[in-house]
Amino acid sequence: MKINIPETDKKRIVIVGGGFAGLKLALKVARNKEYQVVLLDKNNYHQFQPLFYQVAMAGLEPSSIVFPLRKAFRKNQDVYIRVTEVKAVDTANKQLETSLGICNYDYLVLAIGADTNFFGNQKMAELAIPMKSVSEALFLRNRILSDFEKALSTTDYDERQGLMDIVVVGGGPTGVEVSGALAEMKRYVFPKDYPELNTDEIDIYLVQGAGQLLVGMSEQSSKKSLEFLTQLGVKVRLNTLVTDFDGEYVRMNDGETIRARKLIWAAGITGNKLKGMPDASLTHGNRIKVNRFNQVEGIEDVYAIGDIAYMEEDNYPKGHPQVAQVAMQQAQALAKNFQLRHQGKELIPFSYHDLGSMATIGRNRAVVDLPRFKFQGAFAWLVWMFVHLFQILGVKNKVFVFLNWVWNYLTYDQSLRLIIRPRVPRNGDVEVES
Ligand SMILES: Cc1cc2nc3c(=O)[nH]c(=O)nc-3n(C[C@H](O)[C@H](O)[C@H](O)COP(=O)(O)OP(=O)(O)OC[C@H]3O[C@@H](n4cnc5c(N)ncnc54)[C@H](O)[C@@H]3O)c2cc1C
């Protein structure tokens, strides 16, 4: 069965993935009206991943950080959105196998992003909590809140510790931001919500394999983030690896064992795989090798952009960092090249312009590395908030997030901490609590 999309005289660009890269590309190409655009995503919304941790910490409602794909294209007639999972690609016949049927393309752009990398550890994949989608962030929120409810009726000290303590694995921006946010909840929120519990007993651990935090950032930022987290009471373990987790105890390679039911895994990502993509096109981290025009090497009319794409440049001999700026800049460059191709002009190779990187650790505590200078503290925190607010899609979302942050700043409180459980099917395969 063929997917129901009208065939026209225009060449069809099929974009798989409505994340930072795919959505930007679709918006740009649609504006020029030279091609028919088909955007396929398994969700009907775009997710703003940098703020997942605030959803997980009940600081923001999920609706503030997602944006419906259809709303983004209300004014575009020649854009066809289909909510479907792409299962395989047949590059010889230029078609995709999707859950809705077969979709043919003239040009295919893979913007399928990445997923959590558990490095082949099946046990970890089953028991640890990742944060790579808004549903995973909500799952974490439910687990934190449900475990605190359980802790209220647990008289055994060790068991209560297991319910309240949290281990975060991975000292990159996500791990640092989550640990900081948890430490602030321990300080400002939990004592008000759970006065019957001794919240001083809560321990937040951050376990990092390397000898420093925020490895991709400046030494200054990495040192300052450690200082900020330590001030907030986070127990940071550098040069340490988690070797085992059975859902109750976390074991580390230095011999330490922590009783904690929640292990948040923020230790790495791996490219989403698509059946039919030849192994030769994949490189480390399951990324797809592309040339400077984002064309997949050796496959005609197939492109990859964003986290899934691996492109080498003189300044980036090991590929670009997997961040939103790269995804958006590649989308913009590819849209321009589609236009140039339509006009029969020469294509322009992509060059990444690093605008800087940043991470927030908590109220008045952030680190910012700009190409020319670096700064940390309260001003960095304001810059972090401004940049993220600017990037969120939708005026309503910007207003809601801004109001939430102001409210949070003034009251030391966050949005409502509701435990909203998805319906559990009778076969019980959705875990909401155990
Ligand atoms: C918790 C977290 C925090 C982050 N913080 C920052 C930050 O502060 N700053 C920063 O620059 N970057 C940050 N990042 C990284 C940033 O979010 C990514 O670099 C960016 O999302 C990459 O964009 P993308 O379009 O390549 O992929 P994504 O945004 O991941 O989009 C991929 C899309 O493809 C869809 N998809 C995947 N497979 C299929 C399929 N088979 N069929 C249909 N649809 C499919 C997905 O549903 C998704 O919509 C963060 C990431 C995470 C997880």
Side-chain angles (χ1 to χ4, degrees), residues 55-230:
V55 171
M57 300 303 127
L60 289 173
E61 285 307 315
S63 55
S64 311
I65 64 152
V66 299
F67 193 79
L69 292 174
R70 293 200 179 278
K71 202 169 168 187
F73 294 95
R74 273 187 187 163
K75 292 185 186 132
N76 294 101
Q77 306 273 303
D78 221 3
V79 177
Y80 296 85
I81 298 165
R82 294 292 179 266
V83 178
T84 181
E85 180 165 6
V86 175
K87 294 179 183 298
V89 53
D90 174 355
T91 53
N93 294 305
K94 294 184 113 174
Q95 57 187 30
L96 294 168
E97 182 192 326
T98 81
S99 51
L100 289 176
I102 299 296
C103 178
N104 57 298
Y105 62 81
D106 293 301
Y107 304 108
L108 171 66
V109 183
L110 299 174
I112 51 180
D115 202 356
T116 305
N117 192 355
F118 291 99
F119 304 97
N121 188 332
Q122 201 49 41
K123 206 164 151 195
M124 205 61 82
E126 276 163 29
L127 297 169
I129 307 175
M131 221 180 22
K132 203 67 185 79
S133 66
V134 77
S135 14
E136 287 171 351
L138 271 177
F139 178 84
L140 175 56
R141 175 175 102 176
N142 282 346
R143 278 293 296 272
I144 294 172
L145 298 175
S146 325
D147 278 359
F148 268 83
E149 295 301 325
K150 282 185 198 154
L152 284 170
S153 20
T154 307
T155 48
D156 180 77
Y157 173 81
D158 284 340
E159 201 182 326
R160 205 169 52 240
Q161 285 301 117
L163 288 162
M164 297 197 302
D165 288 0
I166 303 177
V167 177
V168 181
V169 183
T174 302
V176 164
E177 291 180 352
V178 171
S179 312
L182 283 166
E184 292 211 318
M185 278 184 95
K186 169 184 167 175
R187 191 180 276 197
Y188 304 121
V189 177
F190 291 142
K192 283 189 259 179
D193 276 12
Y194 302 98
E196 295 158 72
L197 290 172
N198 178 4
T199 46
D200 289 340
E201 286 177 357
I202 304 170
D203 291 313
I204 315 293
Y205 296 88
L206 173 60
V207 184
Q208 159 75 329
Q212 63 181 87
L213 299 174
L214 301 178
V215 170
M217 293 186 71
S218 65
E219 204 183 324
Q220 230 172 304
S221 290
S222 131
K223 279 190 179 149
K224 204 68 189 177
S225 58
L226 177 62
E227 187 186 313
F228 285 152
L229 284 172
T230 311

Side-chain angles (χ1 to χ4, degrees), residues 17 19-21 41-42 49-50 84 86 111-113 132 306-307 322-324:
F20 280 100
D41 200 298
K42 54 189 171 190
Q49 301 187 13
T84 181
V86 175
I112 51 180
K132 203 67 185 79
D307 276 5
Q322 286 162 294
V323 294

Side-chain angles (χ1 to χ4, degrees), residues 309-328:
Y310 175 85
M311 180 196 293
E312 289 175 4
E313 270 192 66
D314 287 349
N315 291 341
Y316 297 92
K318 290 182 180 162
H320 300 113
Q322 286 162 294
V323 294
Q325 265 306 320
V326 173
M328 290 191 291

